[in-house]
Amino acid sequence: MVSVGIIESDEQMRATIRTLLLNQRSQEFNILFELERANNLLHQKALSPQLILVELKGYSTRVIKQIRIQFPKTNIIILSEIANIATVLEALRAGAVSYLLKSTCLNNIAPALIATHKGGSVISPFISREMVERIHDAKRREDLLSARELQIANGLADGLSYKLVADRYNLAVDTVRVYIKRIYRKLNINSKGELIAQLKY
């Protein structure tokens, strides 16, 4: 039997998830708690769920960190409407192991919980595809840019100024500017912000 906690603000969604889990034939679930908000977790300290399905609202992953502190051995599965890759990656870095979109068929929730319990990670297909495209974009950048251009681009993405990039690679600042113009042209971008956005994830 797999013990589960549910944190979801919508009462009807909580009821639907409960029904889906309790009617699951391939795996028996024991629902330890159903909460509307994560701050109600403080009253659940005596419990130790193996999985927590938690709604991620807004762009803060503070709730994940809170759960990790209180239940360090619990696997966290996110259920969210947010498909933004930066938020997904931040949630995974904060300690979530699976990420499901609410637009995913609800019948996929129980199999995702089972897979996570067995040591897997489940990411909604739309997000997985976006991640694959990011990897392809990174490969394309590597193919387009020379080794030196990649060094300079990564230096800028790390927050270094032109002067610090120049110092790091023993170049003149004007030479760095020439490289940056080439990088922008090759990547079809016009600003440092666009460059950072491309390299960040």
Side-chain angles (χ1 to χ4, degrees):
M1 183 177 291
V2 179
S3 58
V4 180
I6 300 169
I7 304 171
E8 164 61 51
S9 62
D10 184 89
E11 186 177 353
Q12 187 174 352
M13 177 68 89
R14 285 198 309 273
T16 301
I17 293 168
R18 181 193 327 117
T19 301
L20 286 169
L21 295 184
L22 295 180
N23 291 335
Q24 183 62 223
R25 292 179 185 166
S26 62
Q27 176 68 60
E28 198 172 343
F29 288 97
N30 177 24
I31 299 174
L32 298 183
F33 57 80
E34 297 176 49
L35 304 174
E36 184 179 351
R37 292 187 193 90
N39 55 6
N40 295 335
L41 268 177
L42 296 173
H43 306 296
Q44 310 298 327
K45 283 187 176 178
L47 301 175
S48 186
Q50 294 166 299
L51 304 172
I52 292 182
L53 180 66
V54 59
E55 176 186 33
L56 185 65
K57 293 181 81 170
Y59 289 88
S60 173
T61 56
R62 191 172 60 240
V63 64
I64 301 168
K65 294 171 185 171
Q66 177 188 341
I67 293 169
R68 297 291 318 146
I69 291 167
Q70 191 167 337
F71 302 105
K73 295 182 179 178
T74 296
N75 286 313
I76 301 169
I77 299 99
I78 299 299
L79 185 62
S80 181
E81 294 176 348
I82 303 169
N84 176 287
I85 290 297
T87 302
V88 173
L89 293 175
E90 188 181 339
L92 297 174
R93 285 191 197 104
V97 293
S98 291
Y99 196 106
L100 307 174
L101 291 177
K102 285 191 172 184
S103 58
T104 301
C105 176
L106 289 178
N107 288 329
N108 291 333
I109 290 177
L113 266 63
I114 293 167
T116 302
H117 176 65
K118 290 181 176 178
S121 288
V122 180
I123 308 291
S124 285
F126 176 83
I127 296 170
S128 298
R129 181 56 180 260
E130 183 72 21
M131 288 178 165
V132 167
E133 288 176 4
R134 293 282 181 120
I135 292 167
H136 290 172
D137 287 346
K139 178 69 172 88
R140 182 180 63 84
R141 282 192 300 275
E142 288 174 12
D143 292 343
L144 285 173
L145 302 180
S146 69
R148 177 65 84 192
E149 288 166 346
L150 277 171
Q151 287 176 333
I152 290 170
N154 286 321
L156 290 176
D158 289 342
L160 299 180
S161 66
Y162 289 10
K163 171 89 170 74
L164 289 174
V165 170
D167 290 346
R168 177 183 281 185
Y169 299 112
N170 199 25
L171 299 169
V173 174
D174 286 341
T175 304
V176 170
R177 286 195 178 98
V178 170
Y179 274 118
I180 289 168
K181 285 180 184 175
R182 280 191 215 155
I183 292 165
Y184 286 5
R185 187 176 65 251
K186 287 181 178 182
L187 298 181
N188 195 27
I189 58 176
N190 298 303
S191 70
K192 184 177 176 182
E194 287 180 271
L195 177 64
I196 291 170
Q198 282 204 20
L199 296 178
K200 193 171 181 183
Y201 299 104

